[in-house]
Amino acid sequence: VPAWLSRVRRLAAVNGQYLALSLDVYWASGGFAAVRGALAEDAALGRHLAGLGYRVRLLDGAALLASEPHATVGEAWRANARTLLPLLFGSTPLLALALGALILAWVLPPIRLVLDLALALSGSASWAALALGTVEVLLGLAPRWLADRRAGYPRWLVLTQPLALAALVGSGLASLAWFRWRRRVPWRGRSYTVSEAA
């Protein structure tokens, strides 16, 4: 994270899995008590710290730390739904834009590739279009493949990327439903009322 960006409140980010700060900063800032009304408290704390003038940085600790925050797919789904809208500043248009970009960049290209293959085999489409679609899909999967390789995950896992991002889109829609229409967010066996502060 660039040094100038780390002090911009709206763009500061903190990952709740691992957070390191001095005890003096924690107490001086009010700690998590200062953001107790937020349902995505880690992101809120990062923005709060940046707003107070502290530098908030994301560092790569993969060589030192490991994490398995969610034991099931359902837990991961609920965690994403709980945090996606708050992470995007509570903005419905911004979340809709992000979800649309995910669909266009990673969900639709593999579907179109399968259709292009079927059309090419039937003679209704050119093999050049199929080759172009293949390059598009491979370029979309490349960042995930590199990240998985660095993390030591199995190579075949990259093939699940379109499904994972389709699930993320579903979580985003659930986030909208919980925050905008139901006004209640379930989390770890409890149900929280969405307030304006949150």
Side-chain angles (χ1 to χ4, degrees):
V1 178
W4 65 268
L5 195 61
S6 66
R7 295 181 188 273
V8 178
R9 181 175 184 176
R10 281 290 187 182
L11 301 178
V14 166
N15 186 324
Q17 294 171 20
Y18 292 104
L19 174 62
L21 67 161
S22 74
L23 194 58
D24 289 343
V25 170
Y26 184 82
W27 290 121
S29 68
F32 282 107
V35 294
R36 62 184 172 272
L39 289 170
E41 72 286 348
D42 52 354
L45 179 61
R47 291 170 184 159
H48 175 67
L49 290 169
L52 294 175
Y54 295 108
R55 182 191 296 180
V56 177
R57 305 285 305 263
L58 289 175
L59 302 174
D60 184 354
L64 302 173
L65 306 167
S67 176
E68 294 182 20
H70 307 295
T72 66
V73 172
E75 284 183 13
W77 173 283
R78 288 185 290 275
N80 284 328
R82 177 181 65 95
T83 58
L84 279 173
L85 190 61
L87 284 175
L88 294 172
F89 317 111
S91 169
T92 300
L94 191 55
L95 178 59
L97 182 64
L99 297 181
L102 286 176
I103 291 170
L104 289 175
W106 283 287
V107 178
L108 290 182
I111 295 172
R112 193 174 67 228
L113 182 62
V114 171
L115 294 175
D116 285 346
L117 176 60
L119 291 172
L121 290 172
S122 68
S124 302
S126 70
W127 288 97
L130 179 64
L132 188 61
T134 301
V135 170
E136 181 183 13
V137 169
L138 291 176
L139 287 175
L141 293 178
R144 167 68 185 269
W145 181 81
L146 290 170
D148 284 357
R149 183 179 176 206
R150 188 178 192 292
Y153 294 139
R155 293 179 183 175
W156 61 264
L157 201 59
V158 69
L159 299 177
T160 66
Q161 179 74 345
L163 294 176
L165 291 175
L168 186 60
V169 169
S171 291
L173 295 176
S175 189
L176 277 176
W178 291 356
F179 281 90
R180 293 290 180 255
W181 299 305
R182 285 181 48 190
R183 306 292 294 172
R184 295 194 70 81
V185 177
W187 181 239
R188 297 195 183 277
R190 298 181 182 179
S191 183
Y192 296 90
T193 300
V194 176
S195 67
E196 290 303 316

